[in-house]
Amino acid sequence: MISIIKRDLLSTKRIKCTLSIISIYLIYFFVQNIFIKSLFKGGVEQVFARTIGITYDKMHFLDILIIILSLTYLIYITISIYLDDLSSGKEQILLRIDRKKYIIAKLISIIIYILIVNVILYFLLFTIIHFLGYKINIMFILKLFLTDFILKLIYSFISLIIYNFTNIIITILIFMIIPIGVLIHIPIKFLFAYQNINNLLILFIIFVVLFIGVNKILIFKIDNLFTLEEKNEI
């Protein structure tokens, strides 16, 4: 179980992708700092949130691109971790470990990976903002971090459920409803972490329910997969 989690976290391909995404976030922050300084007058906390795609200003098209990037990256991390061992010989993996433990290991990998990325991203952005001399509310950022982390896990688990009943393209297309809603000015800010900062307990309850639900669904899907293979062999 630990070896599976370790392998998931140390995937070179995912690490390279993650570094690229973090770099894009930081570049977007500097672009705002250099060319759209007026945004900082409304509060650096909101700029912080917009930079990483957890709120938006409907007047800025780049915010929509960042939202698309964030959602696509989250889906990629989730699905790639889930599929890693299954795509490289599920029979061998699941002979060495109980199926329930395997699914739990995968869900833990997803949670830890998203947590690590969030910690690095928030630390870098906070350090840069502090270095540039902007005043930023530390307690607000910590609360935002927790809200963002839990909401990302909720979206991550929802993407796993959708993927298991459809495919990766449909999963991404369904999530693209969010940036499309932003683009056509549908009021959907309630789907973003910045607007849910006071709903932490509700989000946590949703996360726990989803964790239990997605665990059962994934075990059911894997059991079905092996049942079908056994029937085909007969």
Side-chain angles (χ1 to χ4, degrees):
M1 190 169 175
I2 294 174
S3 62
I4 290 174
I5 296 171
K6 186 177 178 181
R7 189 163 57 247
D8 288 336
L9 297 180
L10 297 178
S11 164
T12 304
K13 187 177 179 181
R14 270 192 295 276
I15 290 173
K16 286 180 179 179
C17 177
T18 298
L19 291 175
S20 299
I21 296 296
I22 291 174
S23 299
I24 291 171
Y25 285 140
L26 296 180
I27 290 169
Y28 185 43
F29 175 81
F30 284 116
V31 167
Q32 292 175 95
N33 185 55
I34 295 169
F35 298 105
I36 327 175
K37 268 190 173 293
S38 59
L39 292 173
F40 288 78
K41 294 177 182 178
V44 72
E45 290 83 7
Q46 189 169 17
V47 176
F48 186 108
R50 287 177 56 246
T51 298
I52 55 177
I54 58 173
T55 191
Y56 63 91
D57 184 335
K58 60 186 177 183
M59 301 305 293
H60 291 89
F61 183 70
L62 284 177
D63 282 6
I64 299 173
L65 295 181
I66 289 295
I67 293 168
I68 293 172
L69 177 73
S70 299
L71 290 172
T72 306
Y73 169 70
L74 183 63
I75 293 169
Y76 162 73
I77 290 300
T78 302
I79 305 303
S80 67
I81 288 176
Y82 171 61
L83 290 180
D84 252 5
D85 298 301
L86 289 176
S87 60
S88 59
K90 54 185 176 297
E91 296 85 359
Q92 296 301 317
I93 296 296
L94 297 176
L95 283 173
R96 297 198 302 267
I97 184 172
D98 179 74
R99 294 172 193 180
K100 292 180 181 179
K101 288 183 179 179
Y102 173 78
I103 294 300
I104 290 293
K106 285 296 176 177
L107 294 180
I108 290 173
S109 291
I110 291 168
I111 291 170
I112 293 174
Y113 200 95
I114 292 173
L115 176 62
I116 291 172
V117 173
N118 251 29
V119 167
I120 294 170
L121 182 58
Y122 273 69
F123 175 76
L124 286 174
L125 261 181
F126 182 84
T127 303
I128 291 168
I129 288 170
H130 183 72
F131 179 77
L132 291 173
Y134 293 108
K135 292 182 179 179
I136 187 166
N137 188 325
I138 298 176
M139 292 309 298
F140 181 87
I141 294 300
L142 287 174
K143 201 172 178 182
L144 183 65
F145 170 85
L146 288 174
T147 308
D148 179 27
F149 173 54
I150 293 174
L151 195 56
K152 278 176 179 170
L153 292 180
I154 290 172
Y155 286 157
S156 173
F157 289 171
I158 289 173
S159 73
L160 264 180
I161 294 171
I162 296 171
Y163 173 77
N164 271 278
F165 290 100
T166 57
N167 56 52
I168 187 66
I169 295 174
I170 292 176
T171 303
I172 292 173
L173 287 176
I174 289 173
F175 272 85
M176 288 306 105
I177 291 171
I178 297 175
I180 289 171
V182 174
L183 189 61
I184 61 178
H185 304 319
I186 295 175
I188 57 169
K189 282 201 170 183
F190 64 91
L191 295 173
F192 291 83
Y194 188 81
Q195 278 69 34
N196 278 287
I197 200 162
N198 295 316
N199 299 324
L200 199 52
L201 180 59
I202 295 172
L203 292 177
F204 182 73
I205 293 170
I206 294 171
F207 160 70
V208 171
V209 172
L210 268 175
F211 183 89
I212 296 169
V214 78
N215 182 43
K216 291 183 179 299
I217 289 170
L218 296 184
I219 291 171
F220 172 76
K221 294 293 284 186
I222 285 183
D223 284 343
N224 272 4
L225 181 65
F226 274 80
T227 301
L228 285 172
E229 287 189 355
E230 286 168 2
K231 285 182 179 179
N232 289 334
E233 286 175 3
I234 294 171

